[in-house]
Amino acid sequence: MFNIVENYQHGLYFAFTSIAELFTFLIIGWYFAPRLSQFLGKMSIAEAMGSLYKEKVQLITAICGFIGVIGFLVLQLKVAGVVFEYVFNLKPFYGVLLAGLIVSIYSAVGGIKSVTFTDMVQLFTFGTIIPIVSYYFYISVDGFDVVLNTVLTNSNFDLGKIFDTSNLKFWNYLSISIIFLIPNFDPAIFQRIAMCKNVYQIRKSFYTVFFICLFLLVTMFWLCLLILTKTPNLSPDDIIKIGVFNALPLGMKGLLLVGVFAIVMSTADSYINSSAVLITYDFCKVLKIKLKNKLLSARIISFLLGLLAIFLSFKETNILKFSIFCISFYTPIVVVPFIMATCGYRTPYEKAVLWGMGAAFITVLSWNYCGITIIDSIVPAMLVNLVTIVFMHYYYHSRHLKLQNKQLY
């Protein structure tokens, strides 16, 4: 839904950011896969960070991972509420409540094995329904020439304007593309990596994901062009409702509902499971909170996380802004030291990493407080984190050398 709305409004501006996200999978498969073997078998990204930088960093990673995951969960449930509103003319409240309860119970009872199995089933469901809907829209327009005329006459598809550096929109989407291009290693993605048997399976998995997502993104971009051709000049709030659902017959609406619900389930249960691990395994372990039955505790926490996501979904807020705001407390803080370590630039000084994390956190808060919108806070905060870690590393290293010299004399 987000892809369709953004492509409808901004054309190739957003399409190029989606391509950047695709190349992230290739980067992980080609460059990072051989360097991730040390983390195979780890329970979570927080445990991996703890093995690199000790317990304080592990605790911060668990907290940041939880905040980032909540943003994704709320995003999924809000989409489910919108779908129910459009298809059945019900209040979004019922869609959010129903989707949230189903996902919460399913994640709590099923566990990671059932989650990963149904992910495959749900991918097949979503991957077949989107092309069917696209074909229906194609036969409802007056041929390919009409679609081509839409591309040629719309300024959002003009390459000269898109790559005009004097255009603020260019810099805005460039910053988003950089965010998408940087491997995120969020809790659910890392959990999948750690479950792999070996480096070869990691590489194969991400290469496969690249081609699957390429097919889905091209299909959704084509669907967006068809909607733009058929119903131009729609407001952002009406693109999905009027452009998609109202244009479909009842049977197609049902199919699309199944497809969207499948992808909501697929994403939400993955993030609920990974965040439950962060709390039961990492958060409680570092704080020395003993759990008699970790499996039961994980199931209870999974259910409670689902309820929390339902509660937050009822708040009136912009879906995209809220999800980016939540992930901004994970990516700049956690991903920078993790990528540095996997690339061979691991500092032995835990305090240097803690300083970097703190600097990134302050940057994100300051950026949002000042209301800077030209570029998002994630990229500047990542740079601040990187510079701070490097600076503090040399600072603590010089202190260590001076201490050694004193001991020698």
Side-chain angles (χ1 to χ4, degrees), residues 297-337:
S297 300
R299 287 178 172 175
I300 293 172
I301 289 172
S302 294
F303 184 73
L304 294 177
L305 283 172
L307 295 182
L308 176 61
I310 292 172
F311 173 75
L312 292 175
S313 299
F314 293 144
K315 301 292 183 181
E316 291 295 329
T317 182
N318 182 281
I319 297 176
L320 176 60
K321 287 183 178 179
F322 181 76
S323 59
I324 291 178
F325 177 75
C326 288
I327 202 65
S328 65
F329 289 99
Y330 175 80
T331 301
I333 297 170
V334 175
V335 173
V336 172

Side-chain angles (χ1 to χ4, degrees), residues 67 86 91 102 129 160 189 215 220 247 318 324 360:
I67 295 172
Y86 291 166
K91 292 181 179 180
I102 290 174
I129 288 173
I189 294 294
F215 168 74
M220 285 190 285
N318 182 281
I324 291 178

Side-chain angles (χ1 to χ4, degrees), residues 95 200 331 407:
Y200 172 75
T331 301
Q407 290 174 347

